[in-house]
Amino acid sequence: MPAGSLLPRLVSIVSVIVLGATLAACSGGDFGRVRQDVRNDDMHRWMGAEATGSIGRPPSRFQLTDTERMLRDLAYPLVEPPHSRPAWKSVFGDYDPLAPPWRQKPAFDRSAYGRQLIDEPHRSHASRYAQLIDDVRDDITRFDPFFNTARQVFDLDSKRKASLNLVSDLSRRERSDAVARMEENTLIVQWVQQCLEQRIASYRWALEHLVIQAPDGVAADADRLIGQLAALTANPPVTAAPVIGRALRTRG
């Protein structure tokens, strides 16, 4: 083939490679995380509407405060099933809205995480233990930031509630939106609390079956971390009172 006819073809190939690299750089951040410049500030706002909708209540039309937005941003990694996204989804930042645990279909399966962890190809059993330990440690690291933010949100909501009977010319719409926002915030904390309980059950199932298949001394480290997460979850800094007069129960 003449050299002149090869040039346009080479240019086309190079263009495709450059375009692919550019798209990857735009959509994926460090270590497969979604880059901050492509995140929407209210990307987790849907959690409030999902939470109230799950009990047949309307969502609030108020804009999110900074702490309410932070509450939702910190909640999402704790309600998304651990180790649930394929690598390509992490790169491109795709995720699906989730249902609260009290109306999830199919019902929660405590073995799902462990089966995925064990069945996925790994170079050695040590990497499976390492993945489990990393997932539990990540949850422990996320625990305090979330519940500290929840405490701030609840403190502000208590002031909001006290103000409802003091504000002059409060419209019916404003009152209903204020009540809906307080319910959203409460349900999101309950959502996280129940998901943490599910995660602990999943981690324990995974560890028990890893020990059977590939005993290793590092299992003691994993067990200690799971116990630490369980102790934190059993004694959270703040608790959310039932919104509908009864405790919401996890399916499964």
Side-chain angles (χ1 to χ4, degrees):
M1 183 179 293
S5 62
L6 286 174
L7 183 58
R9 186 175 180 183
L10 289 173
V11 170
S12 298
I13 294 173
V14 171
S15 298
V16 170
I17 294 172
V18 171
L19 177 61
T22 302
L23 289 173
C26 290
S27 59
D30 293 340
F31 306 108
R33 299 186 182 96
V34 183
R35 278 180 45 169
Q36 293 297 321
D37 58 357
V38 298
R39 285 171 57 113
N40 183 307
D41 284 344
D42 285 342
M43 68 182 295
H44 297 126
R45 181 187 177 92
W46 61 268
M47 294 184 69
E50 174 63 32
T52 52
S54 71
I55 60 171
R57 302 286 181 85
S60 175
R61 289 162 288 193
F62 285 167
Q63 294 185 15
L64 294 173
T65 67
D66 290 342
T67 51
E68 288 169 344
R69 183 178 297 110
M70 181 64 70
L71 182 76
R72 287 149 179 78
D73 289 344
L74 294 173
Y76 186 78
L78 289 169
V79 303
E80 181 187 35
H83 199 47
S84 64
R85 285 191 233 174
W88 67 269
K89 279 197 171 185
S90 295
V91 170
F92 287 94
D94 293 339
Y95 70 90
D96 296 323
L98 306 169
W102 48 85
R103 74 164 182 176
Q104 283 180 0
K105 295 180 180 179
F108 168 65
D109 177 6
R110 68 188 291 260
S111 70
Y113 167 83
R115 293 186 188 280
Q116 181 181 9
L117 182 68
I118 293 169
D119 292 345
E120 280 187 344
H122 287 266
R123 293 186 61 184
S124 71
H125 70 271
S127 63
R128 292 183 172 87
Y129 281 105
Q131 181 67 61
L132 173 60
I133 287 172
D134 285 346
D135 287 341
V136 179
R137 188 178 286 121
D138 285 345
D139 287 347
I140 292 172
T141 301
R142 295 175 180 128
F143 188 93
D144 281 344
F146 173 78
F147 280 100
N148 288 338
T149 302
R151 182 189 292 111
Q152 295 176 44
V153 169
F154 284 175
D155 286 346
L156 294 173
D157 274 350
S158 66
K159 294 178 173 63
R160 190 195 324 244
K161 184 176 181 180
S163 300
L164 287 177
N165 295 324
L166 302 176
V167 176
S168 60
D169 299 325
L170 185 69
S171 69
R172 181 177 297 179
R173 173 172 174 171
E174 286 177 311
R175 177 179 291 276
S176 64
D177 282 339
V179 171
R181 177 52 49 80
M182 290 186 287
E183 290 180 345
E184 287 180 15
N185 294 336
T186 297
L187 288 167
I188 286 172
V189 174
Q190 292 179 354
W191 188 345
V192 168
Q193 180 75 20
Q194 291 194 24
C195 284
L196 282 170
E197 293 169 358
Q198 290 181 343
R199 289 159 101 95
I200 292 164
S202 296
Y203 294 147
R204 283 180 169 152
W205 190 99
L207 179 59
E208 290 168 358
H209 289 262
L210 271 175
V211 168
I212 293 298
Q213 295 193 26
D216 193 297
V218 76
D221 295 331
D223 185 59
R224 176 181 56 80
L225 286 172
I226 295 171
Q228 182 180 344
L229 179 61
L232 289 171
T233 302
N235 300 282
V238 294
T239 56
V243 170
I244 56 176
R246 59 180 173 82
L248 294 166
R249 297 187 179 277
T250 302
R251 294 173 60 92

